[in-house]
Amino acid sequence: MKKLTICLTLVLLTMTLSITHVHAAVTPLSAPIEVPVPTEVLEAAALVNRLESIQKMDVSNMTRIEKKGLRQEVRAIKSELKSLNNGGVYLSVGAIIIIVLLLILLL
């Protein structure tokens, strides 16, 4: 009985592996699919480029009013970037510990 179980397991394992190998060989290689870039990503890249160009500027020759305008522009750009990147899940350390404990208890 033990020998029969081992043989059946071995046969099933080889059949499973051979099917996936054959399936992988049969599927043709397709051209990579181009995913359209969302407008938010393009807008965020433009804002980051503007911030970098402001940082590279020589502000020593500017008047006080021009510097104030640049500071206001930087603040506006940073707040807009934050509003674009508002989608996210933040977990505290306590929440992670509780999740791990629940997983240990349930599994």
Side-chain angles (χ1 to χ4, degrees):
M1 183 69 178
K2 194 174 194 180
K3 199 173 203 179
L4 180 65
T5 307
I6 292 174
C7 288
L8 285 175
T9 307
L10 186 61
V11 168
L12 289 174
L13 183 64
T14 54
M15 288 177 63
T16 305
L17 292 177
S18 65
I19 290 172
T20 56
H21 178 67
V22 170
H23 179 68
V26 171
T27 56
L29 296 176
S30 62
I33 300 172
E34 293 185 20
V35 178
V37 179
T39 57
E40 293 88 14
V41 174
L42 296 174
E43 186 177 337
L47 291 174
V48 169
N49 287 338
R50 177 63 182 147
L51 281 176
E52 289 174 355
S53 67
I54 290 174
Q55 287 178 349
K56 292 178 183 176
M57 290 175 115
D58 183 25
V59 293
S60 61
N61 297 333
M62 292 184 174
T63 64
R64 213 174 58 173
I65 297 171
E66 291 173 339
K67 289 178 186 179
K68 185 177 180 182
L70 277 179
R71 280 195 303 272
Q72 289 175 351
E73 185 179 357
V74 167
R75 287 183 193 134
I77 289 173
K78 285 186 178 181
S79 66
E80 192 170 344
L81 281 173
K82 283 183 184 178
S83 68
L84 286 175
N85 296 330
N86 62 358
V89 177
Y90 300 102
L91 294 174
S92 66
V93 175
I96 293 173
I97 291 173
I98 290 172
I99 291 171
V100 168
L101 288 175
L102 285 173
L103 287 174
I104 290 172
L105 290 174
L106 294 175
L107 298 176

